[in-house]
Amino acid sequence: MGQEDVYEKVARLIENSKKTVVLTGAGISTESGIPDFRSPGTGLWEKMDPMEALSTRVLYNDPKKFYNNGFKILLSMKDAKPNKSHYILAQLEQDGFISSVITQNIDNLHQKAGSKKVYEVHGQTRTGSCTNCGTVVPIDLLEVKVSKGEIPPKCDKCNGILRPDVVMFGDQMPEDFEKAWLEAEDSDLMIVIGSSLTVSPVNFLPRLSKHLVIINKSETPEDRRADAIIRESAGEALSKIVRYLKAAQQG
Ligand SMILES: [Zn+2]
């Protein structure tokens, strides 16, 4: 089968699926300038180990280190802009081709692009919350407090410690993960985009769907059970698939 045929095949899988969910990883956001968490040695990650910088151990035992390192990385995502892939997925949801997006990313780019149903299985960088009373605050409040030297930042209501609502190494999975699990179980087709499926437990989700498409530049442990594999950047692959979908709609 020629490489050109695979896009048509994926388009057909999408058209024949009663419910399609998309699972995205860091690979979809690298085109927006956000470094891959698990690819140390690039940009922001050069000087630190992300597994350590964004861990509950450092957050709770060495808050100064956390707020000087990991927290700055979280804030650096605030100004990132969605790329072509994010916009295509938002449009596919609007056109009824996909049901939802499950994302391992914490950069808010699916929502910025217009996606409505997004499950953020590793949390997000819009808010923080009090570890004592649970009050949710904008992440900007944590930023202001930290910039004034209040480390760790404290809750205005109960003086408990505020933390970002990002799932860090050592944290439990959030409620969105359970919802994503049900969504995957209920789906006919899952399209994995830009994830190497090496991070547990999210990497189990593709096994819950009846059919599987993988768009990722490198191999994944689920490749052998995929109906189609595209080794390309998310933007290029999605643009080509969408062309076939449009052709089908017009025909
Ligand atoms: Zn509180």
Side-chain angles (χ1 to χ4, degrees), residues 31-216:
E31 286 169 57
S32 291
I34 294 175
D36 185 343
F37 267 56
R38 271 88 192 171
S39 298
T42 52
L44 286 163
W45 300 115
E46 250 166 45
K47 296 183 188 82
M48 64 187 97
D49 174 7
M51 304 280 279
E52 156 121 346
L54 294 174
S55 68
T56 52
R57 194 177 59 75
V58 172
L59 172 68
Y60 295 125
N61 299 332
D62 194 352
K64 281 215 162 62
K65 186 173 178 183
F66 173 78
Y67 281 101
N68 284 324
N69 296 299
F71 187 60
K72 288 190 177 150
I73 292 167
L74 301 183
L75 294 180
S76 73
M77 295 178 191
K78 278 202 311 188
D79 299 325
K81 298 199 166 46
N83 61 54
K84 185 162 67 177
S85 304
H86 297 102
Y87 286 114
I88 289 175
L89 291 180
Q91 188 64 47
L92 287 177
E93 181 185 17
Q94 203 182 315
D95 293 344
F97 285 115
I98 64 172
S99 167
S100 62
V101 174
I102 300 167
T103 187
Q104 297 174 274
N105 301 331
I106 53 174
D107 52 31
N108 205 27
L109 294 182
H110 287 299
Q111 289 92 335
K112 279 187 185 169
S115 283
K116 298 282 184 280
K117 213 166 151 195
V118 182
Y119 298 101
E120 297 171 305
V121 294
H122 287 162
Q124 41 78 20
T125 47
R126 295 180 297 277
T127 63
S129 58
C130 174
T131 54
N132 183 49
C133 74
T135 296
V136 176
V137 298
I139 197 135
D140 295 354
L141 181 64
L142 276 71
E143 186 179 12
V144 168
K145 284 173 180 280
V146 168
S147 72
K148 288 179 184 162
E150 190 181 321
I151 297 177
K154 300 279 183 64
C155 175
D156 290 331
K157 288 187 186 163
C158 77
N159 214 37
I161 291 174
L162 294 171
R163 60 159 285 179
D165 290 332
V166 167
V167 177
M168 289 188 261
F169 301 98
D171 270 326
Q172 289 190 313
M173 295 302 280
E175 206 185 324
D176 264 25
F177 180 69
E178 285 166 46
K179 292 179 186 165
W181 185 284
L182 296 175
E183 188 79 348
E185 266 187 337
D186 191 38
S187 68
D188 278 328
L189 170 65
M190 178 174 284
I191 305 173
V192 174
I193 303 173
S195 173
S196 300
L197 299 175
T198 51
V199 179
S200 177
V202 175
N203 61 355
F204 195 80
L205 295 176
R207 293 178 216 172
L208 302 175
S209 189
K210 290 182 195 74
H211 294 282
L212 180 62
V213 169
I214 296 177
I215 301 169
N216 195 50

